[in-house]
Short mmCIF file of all heavy atoms in Angstrom, two decimals:
data_model
loop_
_atom_site.label_atom_id
_atom_site.label_comp_id
_atom_site.label_asym_id
_atom_site.label_seq_id
_atom_site.Cartn_x
_atom_site.Cartn_y
_atom_site.Cartn_z
N TRP A 44 1.42 1.24 -9.03
CA TRP A 44 1.84 0.14 -9.99
C TRP A 44 3.13 0.78 -10.68
O TRP A 44 4.13 -0.05 -10.75
CB TRP A 44 0.74 -0.28 -10.88
CG TRP A 44 1.15 -1.29 -11.88
CD1 TRP A 44 1.24 -2.71 -11.75
CD2 TRP A 44 1.64 -0.94 -13.25
NE1 TRP A 44 1.73 -3.15 -13.01
CE2 TRP A 44 1.93 -2.23 -13.81
CE3 TRP A 44 1.77 0.14 -14.04
CZ2 TRP A 44 2.44 -2.34 -15.18
CZ3 TRP A 44 2.30 0.14 -15.28
CH2 TRP A 44 2.53 -1.18 -15.83
N ASN A 48 6.87 -0.89 -10.47
CA ASN A 48 7.58 -1.43 -11.73
C ASN A 48 8.93 -0.70 -12.13
O ASN A 48 9.91 -1.30 -12.25
CB ASN A 48 6.64 -1.48 -12.88
CG ASN A 48 5.81 -2.80 -12.86
OD1 ASN A 48 6.20 -3.78 -12.20
ND2 ASN A 48 4.73 -2.82 -13.50
N LYS A 179 8.71 -2.38 -32.77
CA LYS A 179 8.30 -3.56 -31.82
C LYS A 179 9.46 -4.14 -31.29
O LYS A 179 9.66 -4.43 -30.06
CB LYS A 179 7.51 -4.51 -32.70
CG LYS A 179 7.10 -5.75 -31.87
CD LYS A 179 6.33 -6.69 -32.81
CE LYS A 179 5.98 -8.12 -32.23
NZ LYS A 179 7.24 -8.62 -31.72
N VAL A 182 11.14 -2.12 -28.51
CA VAL A 182 10.24 -2.16 -27.18
C VAL A 182 10.50 -3.44 -26.50
O VAL A 182 10.75 -3.54 -25.39
CB VAL A 182 8.74 -2.07 -27.53
CG1 VAL A 182 7.89 -2.29 -26.40
CG2 VAL A 182 8.46 -0.56 -28.10
N ASP A 183 10.44 -4.52 -27.31
CA ASP A 183 10.54 -5.95 -26.66
C ASP A 183 11.84 -5.99 -25.95
O ASP A 183 11.94 -6.48 -24.77
CB ASP A 183 10.46 -7.03 -27.74
CG ASP A 183 9.00 -7.14 -28.22
OD1 ASP A 183 8.18 -6.52 -27.61
OD2 ASP A 183 8.69 -7.91 -29.19
N VAL A 186 11.86 -3.82 -22.63
CA VAL A 186 10.89 -4.38 -21.66
C VAL A 186 11.51 -5.69 -21.09
O VAL A 186 11.41 -6.01 -19.86
CB VAL A 186 9.54 -4.60 -22.08
CG1 VAL A 186 8.64 -5.19 -21.02
CG2 VAL A 186 8.92 -3.29 -22.55
N ASP A 187 12.13 -6.49 -21.92
CA ASP A 187 12.77 -7.82 -21.51
C ASP A 187 13.80 -7.48 -20.44
O ASP A 187 13.99 -8.31 -19.50
CB ASP A 187 13.26 -8.64 -22.58
CG ASP A 187 12.11 -9.20 -23.51
OD1 ASP A 187 11.05 -9.29 -22.99
OD2 ASP A 187 12.47 -9.47 -24.65
N MET A 189 13.74 -5.17 -18.20
CA MET A 189 13.11 -4.56 -16.96
C MET A 189 12.96 -5.57 -15.86
O MET A 189 12.71 -5.21 -14.70
CB MET A 189 11.85 -3.88 -17.28
CG MET A 189 11.95 -2.67 -18.03
SD MET A 189 10.28 -1.95 -18.38
CE MET A 189 10.54 -0.72 -19.56
N GLY A 190 12.96 -6.78 -16.08
CA GLY A 190 12.80 -7.96 -15.11
C GLY A 190 11.44 -7.91 -14.49
O GLY A 190 11.14 -8.13 -13.32
N LEU A 191 10.30 -7.69 -15.43
CA LEU A 191 9.01 -7.68 -14.90
C LEU A 191 8.42 -9.12 -14.97
O LEU A 191 8.89 -9.89 -15.79
CB LEU A 191 8.13 -6.76 -15.84
CG LEU A 191 8.48 -5.30 -15.95
CD1 LEU A 191 7.63 -4.59 -16.95
CD2 LEU A 191 8.51 -4.65 -14.48
N GLY A 192 7.32 -9.35 -14.17
CA GLY A 192 6.55 -10.64 -14.20
C GLY A 192 5.77 -10.68 -15.38
O GLY A 192 5.50 -9.72 -16.00
N GLY A 193 5.17 -11.87 -15.72
CA GLY A 193 4.36 -12.19 -16.84
C GLY A 193 3.26 -11.09 -17.24
O GLY A 193 3.46 -10.59 -18.33
N LEU A 194 2.42 -10.79 -16.38
CA LEU A 194 1.30 -9.96 -16.69
C LEU A 194 1.80 -8.48 -16.86
O LEU A 194 1.42 -7.82 -17.85
CB LEU A 194 0.22 -10.07 -15.56
CG LEU A 194 -1.23 -9.60 -15.99
CD1 LEU A 194 -1.59 -10.43 -17.19
CD2 LEU A 194 -2.05 -9.78 -14.75
N SER A 195 2.68 -8.01 -15.97
CA SER A 195 3.10 -6.60 -16.01
C SER A 195 3.92 -6.45 -17.33
O SER A 195 3.88 -5.46 -18.06
CB SER A 195 4.03 -6.32 -14.88
OG SER A 195 3.26 -6.02 -13.74
N LYS A 196 4.71 -7.62 -17.75
CA LYS A 196 5.60 -7.50 -18.85
C LYS A 196 4.70 -7.34 -20.21
O LYS A 196 4.92 -6.48 -21.00
CB LYS A 196 6.37 -8.71 -18.96
CG LYS A 196 7.42 -8.88 -20.02
CD LYS A 196 8.25 -10.08 -19.68
CE LYS A 196 9.20 -10.50 -20.85
NZ LYS A 196 10.10 -11.56 -20.43
N ALA A 197 3.67 -8.25 -20.15
CA ALA A 197 2.77 -8.22 -21.36
C ALA A 197 2.10 -6.77 -21.50
O ALA A 197 1.94 -6.30 -22.58
CB ALA A 197 1.79 -9.41 -21.29
N PHE A 198 1.61 -6.27 -20.34
CA PHE A 198 0.94 -5.03 -20.36
C PHE A 198 1.78 -3.96 -20.71
O PHE A 198 1.45 -3.07 -21.59
CB PHE A 198 0.25 -4.81 -18.92
CG PHE A 198 -0.44 -3.53 -18.86
CD1 PHE A 198 -1.64 -3.33 -19.52
CD2 PHE A 198 0.02 -2.52 -18.05
CE1 PHE A 198 -2.35 -2.17 -19.45
CE2 PHE A 198 -0.70 -1.22 -17.94
CZ PHE A 198 -1.82 -1.04 -18.64
N THR A 199 3.00 -3.90 -20.19
CA THR A 199 4.02 -2.86 -20.55
C THR A 199 4.38 -2.89 -21.99
O THR A 199 4.49 -1.78 -22.70
CB THR A 199 5.26 -3.02 -19.71
OG1 THR A 199 4.85 -3.11 -18.30
CG2 THR A 199 6.11 -1.84 -19.82
N LYS A 200 4.54 -4.08 -22.51
CA LYS A 200 4.87 -4.13 -24.16
C LYS A 200 3.65 -3.65 -24.89
O LYS A 200 3.81 -2.87 -25.86
CB LYS A 200 5.07 -5.66 -24.45
CG LYS A 200 6.53 -5.99 -23.98
CD LYS A 200 6.81 -7.39 -24.70
CE LYS A 200 8.16 -7.80 -24.13
NZ LYS A 200 8.56 -9.17 -24.64
N TYR A 201 2.44 -4.02 -24.42
CA TYR A 201 1.25 -3.58 -25.22
C TYR A 201 1.24 -1.88 -25.19
O TYR A 201 1.01 -1.34 -26.16
CB TYR A 201 0.11 -4.16 -24.54
CG TYR A 201 -1.18 -3.53 -24.99
CD1 TYR A 201 -1.69 -3.66 -26.32
CD2 TYR A 201 -2.02 -2.61 -24.24
CE1 TYR A 201 -2.83 -3.04 -26.83
CE2 TYR A 201 -2.97 -1.96 -24.66
CZ TYR A 201 -3.51 -2.18 -25.93
OH TYR A 201 -4.62 -1.59 -26.32
N VAL A 202 1.35 -1.45 -23.98
CA VAL A 202 1.28 0.01 -23.84
C VAL A 202 2.38 0.77 -24.69
O VAL A 202 2.03 1.70 -25.41
CB VAL A 202 1.35 0.48 -22.41
CG1 VAL A 202 1.47 1.95 -22.10
CG2 VAL A 202 0.02 -0.01 -21.64
N LEU A 203 3.66 0.29 -24.70
CA LEU A 203 4.76 0.89 -25.30
C LEU A 203 4.73 0.63 -26.73
O LEU A 203 5.26 1.50 -27.52
CB LEU A 203 5.99 0.42 -24.71
CG LEU A 203 6.53 0.89 -23.38
CD1 LEU A 203 7.71 0.22 -22.90
CD2 LEU A 203 6.98 2.45 -23.65
N ARG A 204 4.03 -0.36 -27.23
CA ARG A 204 4.00 -0.62 -28.68
C ARG A 204 2.87 -0.02 -29.38
O ARG A 204 2.95 0.53 -30.38
CB ARG A 204 3.76 -2.16 -28.88
CG ARG A 204 5.02 -2.91 -29.00
CD ARG A 204 4.44 -4.33 -29.38
NE ARG A 204 5.39 -5.35 -28.86
CZ ARG A 204 4.96 -6.58 -28.58
NH1 ARG A 204 3.68 -6.90 -28.94
NH2 ARG A 204 5.76 -7.49 -28.19
N SER A 205 1.65 0.05 -28.66
CA SER A 205 0.41 0.45 -29.38
C SER A 205 -0.13 1.71 -28.92
O SER A 205 -0.59 2.47 -29.78
CB SER A 205 -0.51 -0.66 -29.32
OG SER A 205 -0.80 -1.02 -27.93
N PHE A 206 -0.08 1.92 -27.64
CA PHE A 206 -0.81 3.15 -27.15
C PHE A 206 0.00 4.33 -27.11
O PHE A 206 -0.33 5.40 -27.56
CB PHE A 206 -1.39 2.60 -25.81
CG PHE A 206 -2.08 3.69 -24.87
CD1 PHE A 206 -3.20 4.35 -25.36
CD2 PHE A 206 -1.59 3.97 -23.67
CE1 PHE A 206 -3.82 5.28 -24.59
CE2 PHE A 206 -2.11 4.94 -22.85
CZ PHE A 206 -3.22 5.62 -23.39
#
Side-chain angles (χ1 to χ4, degrees):
W44 174 84
N48 271 342
K179 174 183 172 302
V182 169
D183 288 354
V186 178
D187 288 341
M189 289 179 189
L191 302 178
L194 202 59
S195 282
K196 186 167 163 174
F198 179 70
T199 305
K200 281 187 181 177
Y201 166 73
V202 169
L203 279 171
R204 270 187 212 155
S205 52
F206 169 65

